[in-house]
Amino acid sequence: MGFGSYDESEQKDQDVDTDEEDAVDVHENDHDGDVSVEGDADTADLVGRLSEMRDDED
């Protein structure tokens, strides 16, 4: 079989033996809650500060 070709017979009836005990639990550390941000700066102040920080890097 050449590069890029596809043979369906190779993909058919594949049996995979999996062990559920070793599986990763993607919901193990799920959290429900709220996020809040406290601060006095408005968007214009924050954008201005970001611009200053970028100018300092140069």
Side-chain angles (χ1 to χ4, degrees):
M1 179 168 41
F3 179 76
S5 59
Y6 179 78
D7 186 357
E8 287 186 26
S9 65
E10 292 181 4
Q11 305 300 319
K12 198 161 122 180
D13 299 324
Q14 290 185 0
D15 291 324
V16 178
D17 185 24
T18 58
D19 186 5
E20 295 294 326
E21 291 178 12
D22 294 333
V24 175
D25 182 7
V26 296
H27 299 289
E28 179 179 357
N29 295 313
D30 283 353
H31 300 282
D32 293 326
D34 297 324
V35 175
S36 63
V37 178
E38 296 177 12
D40 297 336
D42 64 359
T43 303
D45 293 336
L46 295 173
V47 170
R49 178 65 184 127
L50 178 61
S51 295
E52 290 173 11
M53 292 167 55
R54 286 182 176 168
D55 290 342
D56 290 344
E57 288 180 3
D58 294 337

